Amino acid sequence: MDYYKLKICGLERDLPIIKISDDLKIASFVLLGDAELAAKAGYELSKKVDCDIILTAEAKGIELAHEIAKSKGEKSFIVARKSVKAYMDKPVSVEVNSITTTNTQKLYLDLKDAEKIKGKRVALVDDVISTGQSIAALEALVEKAGGKVVQKLAILAEGDAADREDIIYLEKLPLFEV
């Protein structure tokens, strides 16, 4: 197996390069379980955050959003869920297609979380921004809830996302042709 050596926040990680389509490979970055990297990246991104509320999507962005919120001294952040949970009252939803997910998914906000977003300045957080579909879905949720997205942050910008001027990220991650 081939690997890509990622250097970020004074750390190094060997990311396996995996084929996701007939003509594309990616360096597989999994933040879940990497407490050291999540803490360092969360701290670095927290220096750039200027918002009222932090929002991420379930599941890979949760650890990062937690670290950003903790570094900023925030008591909470909001997680958009990938399925309706029993506790949800009148959930708000949008559809999303992501490069790392084979099927169309939906993202949901509980009415209480949607009310927290109304009229607020929201920072969207994800581990990696590639096609931008996940971030676009989060942005649509914020708009449905009556909030305003003021920042889009990630640890990594993959491929063409690194050229976007509307996102804040710590390092670039290349795509690999087959």
Side-chain angles (χ1 to χ4, degrees):
M1 178 172 280
D2 292 328
Y3 291 87
Y4 173 78
K5 186 171 289 296
L6 175 67
K7 296 179 181 182
I8 187 164
C9 299
L11 303 172
E12 288 187 5
R13 298 292 186 267
D14 289 324
L15 308 180
I17 298 175
I18 60 168
K19 186 175 178 180
I20 62 167
S21 72
D22 289 339
D23 59 350
L24 185 63
K25 293 181 181 179
I26 63 169
S28 179
F29 177 75
V30 180
L31 183 63
L32 289 174
D34 192 339
E36 179 184 38
L37 180 53
K40 288 189 176 205
Y43 174 73
E44 289 303 319
L45 286 170
S46 75
K47 296 177 194 178
K48 304 169 189 286
V49 172
D50 181 20
C51 66
D52 301 318
I53 294 174
I54 296 166
L55 172 66
T56 192
E58 187 178 45
K60 294 191 298 182
I62 294 173
E63 194 168 4
L64 180 61
H66 173 263
E67 291 295 339
I68 292 171
K70 184 170 78 171
S71 293
K72 290 196 63 62
E74 297 292 332
K75 294 180 181 177
S76 65
F77 61 95
I78 296 174
V79 177
R81 305 300 301 264
K82 290 185 178 175
S83 62
V84 175
K85 305 300 178 189
Y87 65 81
M88 290 182 160
D89 179 34
K90 300 176 190 163
V92 177
S93 70
V94 296
E95 287 190 355
V96 60
N97 290 301
S98 171
I99 190 172
T100 56
T101 306
T102 55
N103 299 320
T104 299
Q105 294 183 325
K106 285 192 175 183
L107 290 178
Y108 301 88
L109 282 178
D110 179 59
L111 181 62
K112 289 178 186 174
D113 288 334
E115 288 172 350
K116 289 178 188 176
I117 288 172
K118 187 174 184 177
K120 301 293 186 188
R121 299 167 50 253
V122 182
L124 307 179
V125 172
D126 205 352
D127 60 338
V128 179
I129 297 176
S130 185
T131 64
Q133 294 300 310
S134 298
I135 287 289
L138 286 173
E139 191 164 18
L141 269 177
V142 170
E143 289 171 6
K144 276 189 171 184
K148 180 180 179 181
V149 173
V150 294
Q151 291 179 304
K152 302 168 191 172
L153 303 105
I155 297 173
L156 301 169
E158 186 173 51
D160 292 341
D163 298 329
R164 291 177 52 171
E165 295 183 11
D166 65 327
I167 62 172
I168 298 166
Y169 61 92
L170 300 178
E171 292 294 335
K172 296 178 183 181
L173 189 62
L175 293 171
F176 305 89
E177 292 181 6
V178 175

